[in-house]
């Protein structure tokens, strides 16, 4: 499909360059196609960025079984996870925080 699209674009540009068709008749659809592609790419990035949305209700973390902390590489802040909402690490300073799991010592 993309090959056909690029072939049509190439033929249109070629006809415009040869002066057989006015450039506005080729340029306007190309501009519309560019705007369409930017819009579709923007919505795609929004869909990919929604991984923080939880799948189900929040689940409490059993502190006796696991201790999960998140560390921010930007400012050094560290948070202790008490209730898990989503599997994706939270963000701080615009970046994902690093997860660290500690297993209780059973000795
Ligand atoms: Zn931070």
């Amino acid at each position: 499909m993309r090959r056909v699209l690029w072939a049509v674009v190439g033929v249109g540009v070629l006809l415009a360059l040869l002066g057989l068709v006015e450039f506005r008749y080729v340029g306007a659809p190309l501009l519309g196609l560019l705007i369409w592609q930017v819009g579709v790419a923007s919505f795609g990035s929004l869909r990919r960025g929604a991984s923080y949305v939880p799948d189900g209700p929040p689940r409490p973390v059993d502190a006796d079984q696991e201790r999960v902390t998140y560390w921010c590489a930007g400012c050094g802040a560290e948070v202790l996870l008490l209730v898990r909402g989503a599997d994706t690490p939270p963000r701080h300073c615009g970046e994902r925080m690093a997860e660290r799991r500690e297993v209780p010592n059973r000795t």
Side-chain angles (χ1 to χ4, degrees):
M1 183 65 187
R2 285 193 176 264
R3 285 186 176 194
V4 173
L5 176 70
W6 284 111
V8 170
V9 168
V11 168
V13 169
L14 182 65
L15 291 176
L17 289 176
L18 293 176
L20 299 175
V21 177
E22 286 188 46
F23 186 75
R24 62 182 173 174
Y25 294 119
V26 175
L30 288 179
L31 184 61
L33 184 65
L34 176 70
I35 293 171
W36 172 261
Q37 291 289 334
V38 169
V40 168
S42 298
F43 282 118
S45 70
L46 288 175
R47 187 172 357 115
R48 284 187 301 274
S51 62
Y52 61 87
V53 177
D55 298 333
R59 300 176 309 271
V61 175
D62 188 5
D64 294 334
Q65 299 297 322
E66 63 175 344
R67 184 174 185 271
V68 180
T69 59
Y70 291 99
W71 179 73
C72 175
C75 68
E78 189 169 356
V79 295
L80 174 65
L81 183 68
L82 297 176
V83 177
R84 183 181 307 279
D87 292 332
T88 306
R91 290 180 171 268
H92 201 262
C93 295
E95 297 182 9
R96 291 201 190 282
M97 301 177 84
E99 181 178 320
R100 187 174 71 198
R101 290 179 182 265
E102 297 175 4
V103 179
N105 191 358
R106 297 283 183 206
T107 57

